[in-house]
Amino acid sequence: ILDNAKNMFFSTRQFVAPDDGTISFEWNMSAQCVGTRPHDLYDGFVSVNLLDLSVGMALDFFVCNDTIATVYARLPFPGVPSPPDAEDAVKPKYFSLFNELPIETGPAQMHRYRIRYCKSRDEAQFFVDGQSVVTYTEVPSKLQSFTIALGLMTEKSIQQGKSVSLHGQGLTGEWGPFTITIERETIG
């Protein structure tokens, strides 16, 4: 339904979320987008996607010349079974929440990003330059492990059966280094 991934680079390992604490992913990232439409993030962006492909969940940052967005989604990835409670669900079984942030940025401007996930609290928290920008509670699936994917993408709907996402634009992304931290909760 969307004509998005142009280039994605996947980590060669998965990072397991602890049952009794948090896992955090932190990195530097910049985006330089040439020939993209101003203020149209989806015309071309650089991304970091934290994916739990076993349940179809994605925790992402999308960045272009003038916009930074968080993405929180449960998607029908090929080969991933529908959520077990899908037929009786009160909430949607699939969703994508795109949150364009009121943060100023520019072409090739480096920012520090962090996503922290707590399995026991069903909570995902997003940070930019050390500031919390959004927290999602009641994450509908227990995320077991994450694959990191780095993306150069568009996200435009297919129109009349054809792609409309490419019109000569170019994307340059810079990522790293990644710091992955596991913090255990203490009882008592």
Side-chain angles (χ1 to χ4, degrees), residues 118-151:
C118 180
K119 189 188 299 185
S120 65
R121 290 194 305 268
D122 297 322
E123 180 179 278
Q125 191 171 15
F126 294 72
F127 300 81
V128 177
D129 296 329
Q131 300 296 310
S132 177
V133 293
V134 67
T135 301
Y136 295 102
T137 58
E138 299 182 27
V139 173
S141 297
K142 295 285 185 192
L143 309 182
Q144 301 304 318
S145 65
F146 295 93
T147 298
I148 300 171
L150 310 179

Side-chain angles (χ1 to χ4, degrees), residues 1-22:
I1 59 171
L2 293 174
D3 180 24
N4 58 359
K6 303 303 179 228
N7 254 328
M8 287 194 91
F9 306 93
F10 292 86
S11 60
T12 57
R13 63 176 279 213
Q14 294 183 338
F15 301 89
V16 177
D19 291 329
D20 59 347
T22 61

Side-chain angles (χ1 to χ4, degrees), residues 4 6-7 30-36 41-47 63-65 151-154 166 168-175:
N4 58 359
K6 303 303 179 228
N7 254 328
S30 71
Q32 186 166 11
C33 306
V34 177
T36 56
L41 172 66
Y42 311 102
D43 194 40
F45 57 89
V46 173
S47 68
V63 180
C64 69
N65 289 341
L152 301 172
M153 304 169 68
T154 65
L166 297 180
Q169 69 272 50
L171 304 171
T172 301
E174 186 177 340
W175 302 270

Side-chain angles (χ1 to χ4, degrees), residues 13-81:
R13 63 176 279 213
Q14 294 183 338
F15 301 89
V16 177
D19 291 329
D20 59 347
T22 61
I23 185 167
S24 293
F25 299 82
E26 192 167 0
W27 67 95
N28 296 323
M29 180 170 60
S30 71
Q32 186 166 11
C33 306
V34 177
T36 56
R37 294 179 186 94
H39 309 292
D40 182 357
L41 172 66
Y42 311 102
D43 194 40
F45 57 89
V46 173
S47 68
V48 166
N49 313 79
L50 301 180
L51 307 172
D52 183 338
L53 298 173
S54 70
V55 294
M57 291 292 299
L59 307 174
D60 313 328
F61 271 105
F62 290 2
V63 180
C64 69
N65 289 341
D66 53 22
T67 307
I68 298 171
T70 63
V71 180
Y72 166 63
R74 181 162 59 185
L75 303 167
F77 290 129
V80 176

